[in-house]
Amino acid sequence: MGERLFSSKVYDPSKIFLSPTGINLFCRDKHNHGENKIALEVFEPVMVGDI
């Protein structure tokens, strides 16, 4: 398992959920382009190293 810090200026940590494709984070900077749309960025899990 790993850890990554995300900027709260870009991402809203109160709007996060898991889906089969990965971790979904709400993007503040992309939300400003339209109030009727929710912009999410999906981060897929990847295998690093030998297990």
Side-chain angles (χ1 to χ4, degrees):
M1 292 183 87
E3 214 177 278
R4 180 175 173 128
L5 298 175
F6 294 95
S7 171
S8 60
K9 292 180 182 179
V10 178
Y11 301 102
D12 185 350
S14 68
K15 295 175 179 73
I16 180 174
F17 65 93
L18 296 175
S19 71
T21 57
I23 298 172
N24 298 264
L25 295 170
F26 176 78
C27 298
R28 294 177 193 259
D29 60 340
K30 294 178 184 176
H31 177 72
N32 293 334
H33 297 294
E35 293 181 10
N36 295 329
K37 296 181 181 179
I38 297 174
L40 298 170
E41 194 160 337
V42 180
F43 294 87
E44 297 178 47
V46 293
M47 184 73 68
V48 177
D50 297 330
I51 294 182

